[in-house]
Amino acid sequence: MAQSGGRYDRTLQLLDRSRAHAPAIPTKTGLMVGLGEARDELIATLRDLRAVGCEILTIGQYLRPAPEHAPMVRYYHPDEFRDLKTAALDLGFVHVESGPLVRSSYHAHETADAYQAATGS
């Protein structure tokens, strides 16, 4: 489930190294859903992200930007985004933004404030 051109294991290593290098700075990543992934794959990805200490997560809907891009396989219902948020929080993420229009920088300032409030840092 890595980004196009990305490698999943390298992404996890980068997040892990980032956290190890600067443990006071929270690590954050984002997922796009709707490309044919199964729920158990998403949950496994959330577990992998937590295992490397990732604390902040965004989950958004993939929307095909142009015909030459990969087609959207499925549109997630808002209830599914709420379920994924709950699952991520249950796994220990400190802050999660999850919804069809959520993108990586979605409410970045509010996310930073929420993280600070939740952790006291």
Side-chain angles (χ1 to χ4, degrees):
M1 281 200 234
Q3 217 176 4
S4 177
R7 297 206 334 254
Y8 186 72
D9 58 332
R10 288 185 63 184
T11 299
L12 292 173
Q13 290 171 5
L14 176 64
L15 289 166
D16 189 40
R17 279 195 303 256
S18 174
R19 183 194 47 75
H21 179 70
I25 299 173
T27 52
K28 172 185 174 286
T29 195
L31 303 175
M32 299 301 287
V33 297
L35 288 161
E37 66 286 330
R39 186 177 190 286
D40 62 327
E41 292 174 310
L42 289 170
I43 299 303
T45 299
L46 297 178
R47 285 190 184 109
D48 290 347
L49 290 168
R50 284 300 301 137
V52 296
C54 189
E55 297 175 287
I56 301 171
L57 177 68
T58 58
I59 305 171
Q61 175 69 51
Y62 171 75
L63 299 171
R64 187 179 196 179
E68 62 271 11
H69 291 86
M72 179 177 62
V73 174
R74 179 166 91 74
Y75 187 80
Y76 279 61
H77 187 276
D79 290 345
E80 293 175 287
F81 282 104
R82 282 191 289 278
D83 179 52
L84 288 170
K85 179 176 182 170
T86 298
L89 291 170
D90 288 348
L91 288 171
F93 283 90
V94 175
H95 186 78
V96 179
E97 294 287 346
S98 180
L101 300 179
V102 170
R103 297 297 178 257
S104 180
S105 61
Y106 187 81
H107 293 172
H109 189 271
E110 291 88 342
T111 296
D113 290 347
Y115 177 83
Q116 186 176 28
T119 63
S121 56

